[in-house]
Amino acid sequence: MKMINDIYDLQAAWFPSQFQTRPIDVLREVLSALDEGRPVRRDAAAHLASALRRYIAGEHDITANLGLRPSKGKRAQLSIERKAVRDSHIRAIFDQLPGTRTDRAKRTAALLTALPAVALPAGEITEGDVMAHLAELHREHGSELPRSWPHILRVVDAGQ
């Protein structure tokens, strides 16, 4: 996901008149500034103040006020970013396993459906990288993980 933001930032730097800061990036900037105890940029503060004023005035859809409501039929930017991170972890596990594509997909699906607290049987994959990806996936996406090997192959193929 970092790469997508970097490309966006690079294009915005080269063509500033064509790009407007995305609302999610404005909120991230505000949160970062507040966490670090530094001043909030004027445009970011204005964006947040406008959303809060509309909320106080009775427009209680704070998601829309902040500019985060996706267009009809589209997914929210945060949801897209979250799925991209999830899929990158799944691809990392898949890529580290030996065997054919189907075997790797089946083993990845088995790893994802196993309970995270249960130790893997002897002979199973125990490499630190795979386990780190599994732990992160279960922590962040526990109920949203693919359960079948064909779904794993769709995730892997989408990343190529």
Side-chain angles (χ1 to χ4, degrees):
M1 187 56 11
K2 178 70 173 140
M3 185 176 90
I4 291 173
N5 288 335
D6 290 345
I7 292 170
Y8 184 87
D9 293 341
L10 181 63
Q11 289 176 335
W14 278 93
F15 308 103
S17 62
Q18 295 178 3
F19 286 89
Q20 195 173 22
T21 305
R22 295 180 299 180
I24 190 65
D25 293 331
V26 170
L27 289 179
R28 286 180 175 140
E29 167 62 28
V30 169
L31 289 174
S32 175
L34 293 174
D35 286 344
E36 296 169 9
R38 60 181 168 80
V40 176
R41 282 190 354 246
R42 183 176 299 250
D43 62 326
H47 177 76
L48 185 57
S50 172
L52 294 175
R53 279 190 191 96
R54 287 195 308 261
Y55 182 84
I56 290 171
E59 295 178 38
H60 294 143
D61 186 356
I62 193 69
T63 305
N65 293 350
L66 290 168
L68 299 175
R69 173 86 48 224
S71 302
K72 197 169 204 154
K74 295 193 177 186
R75 296 178 65 192
Q77 183 63 32
L78 288 177
S79 175
I80 292 168
E81 290 175 9
R82 183 174 157 87
K83 185 177 181 299
V85 169
R86 182 201 78 170
D87 290 353
S88 71
H89 284 294
I90 291 171
R91 282 190 288 279
I93 293 169
F94 177 88
D95 290 340
Q96 293 180 33
L97 296 174
T100 65
R101 283 175 43 84
T102 302
D103 290 340
R104 292 188 294 163
K106 286 179 179 179
R107 291 183 74 193
T108 301
L111 288 169
L112 294 178
T113 57
L115 295 174
V118 175
L120 295 174
E124 286 291 328
I125 300 298
T126 58
E127 288 85 4
D129 288 343
V130 170
M131 296 310 289
H133 289 293
L134 278 173
E136 183 67 19
L137 281 167
H138 281 289
R139 186 178 68 78
E140 288 290 326
H141 308 280
S143 64
E144 302 168 6
L145 293 173
R147 303 284 185 216
S148 69
W149 65 269
H151 192 168
I152 299 293
L153 287 178
R154 286 192 299 274
V155 168
V156 170
D157 290 342
Q160 297 177 2

